[in-house]
Structures are given as structure tokens and as C-alpha cells.
Amino acid sequence: MGQHTELVPERDNSLAVEAERSSERRKYKQAMAVELLASWMTVTEVARQLGADPSTLHRWLNDPLFVAELEARRDEIVESMLDQHLLASRMATAKLMGLIDSPNEQIALRAAAILYAGGQRAYQFMDVRKRIERLEDNMGIVYGSKV
């Protein structure tokens, strides 16, 4: 007896493939939008760069997950900048400390004055931070008792 082959029309997978590709393009564009917006480009500039309508970006900016990704990326950038600034400050302080021993009295005095002013600003900052922490603690006690 011969083989019987039933002709069953194949399902059209092209729609599923296209939907997957569209989803991947959207994810890619959203990732690019996060990077561009995190670099402080405007919505209009980002839309133009991505070849998207600005309303699309505004819709994404109403999506809590997109906004969370954007905020996380901005935090990463700021953290990196602060790290670089801290390193530069340490290097500058080391250089100024070396200049305090300069045989040129004007250079030594200027280095000392800059270090002193920086130390004063650091002390003031720490004092303000401690005061704010105490105020927040006191407010927490007040608000905590009302809850």
C-alpha cells in the first residue's frame, strides 16, 4: 500500500516573525532612546536621531519601566562623573600638598590657601549634612508618632 500524504496548508509564520522583528527593533530603539535621553538630548532631538515620532518617545516616557531604565542610566552616568571628579580632586590635593614645600614662597602660600579653603568647604558641607540628617531624624520621630 502506498504512502498517503495529506496536504495541510502550512501556517503562515511570516506575521509572527515580523512581530518578533518589530519587537526587537522597538527594544533597540528604546535602548538607544535611553542612552540619548540620558545624555540630555531633547525628545525632539532623540526622535529625529531614531527616525521616530516625538509622540512615541512621550508615550515611552509615560511607561514606568522605560523611565526606571532612563533614571538608572542617568544615575550610572552621574556616579561615573563623581568618581572621576573625586579622583581628580585627590590628584589636585596631592599636587597642592607638594607645592606647599615649594621654595617659591608665593607658590607655597597660594597652595596653602587653596587647601585651607577646600578644607573649610568640606567642613561646612559635612556640618550641613549632619544638620540635615538630624532634622530628618527628628521629623521621622514626629511623623512616626502620628502614623
Side-chain angles (χ1 to χ4, degrees):
M1 189 172 197
Q3 282 187 326
H4 181 285
T5 305
E6 188 176 325
L7 295 176
V8 178
E10 287 188 27
R11 294 181 63 195
D12 185 9
N13 288 335
S14 63
L15 292 177
V17 170
E18 183 56 34
E20 186 176 323
R21 287 182 184 152
S22 176
S23 173
E24 290 301 316
R25 279 194 303 270
R26 186 179 66 253
K27 287 178 186 175
Y28 174 77
K29 282 189 174 188
Q30 285 182 333
M32 290 301 301
V34 163
E35 288 300 317
L36 296 171
L37 289 168
S39 69
W40 301 105
M41 288 179 74
T42 67
V43 168
T44 303
E45 292 168 334
V46 173
R48 190 176 313 122
Q49 187 91 13
L50 296 177
D53 192 87
S55 65
T56 299
L57 271 83
H58 286 291
R59 189 176 67 250
W60 292 346
L61 287 166
N62 286 321
D63 176 2
L65 292 175
F66 181 84
V67 172
E69 286 182 40
L70 176 58
E71 289 174 358
R73 183 63 184 125
R74 283 182 174 160
D75 288 347
E76 288 173 8
I77 291 169
V78 169
E79 189 71 30
S80 174
M81 290 169 58
L82 290 174
D83 288 346
Q84 291 175 356
H85 185 66
L86 181 59
L87 176 61
S89 294
R90 288 179 176 164
M91 293 170 63
T93 299
K95 184 71 170 175
L96 288 167
M97 293 292 291
L99 291 174
I100 283 179
D101 294 330
S102 173
N104 182 325
E105 195 63 31
Q106 288 180 330
I107 290 174
L109 184 58
R110 182 75 175 135
I114 291 170
L115 284 168
Y116 177 78
Q120 286 297 102
R121 283 192 305 275
Y123 173 78
Q124 290 170 348
F125 172 77
M126 289 171 52
D127 184 53
V128 168
R129 191 175 76 191
K130 286 179 184 176
R131 289 175 185 223
I132 290 171
E133 287 172 359
R134 281 195 301 268
L135 284 170
E136 288 174 342
D137 288 344
N138 289 337
M139 289 173 64
I141 292 170
V142 171
Y143 291 127
S145 66
K146 290 183 180 181
V147 175

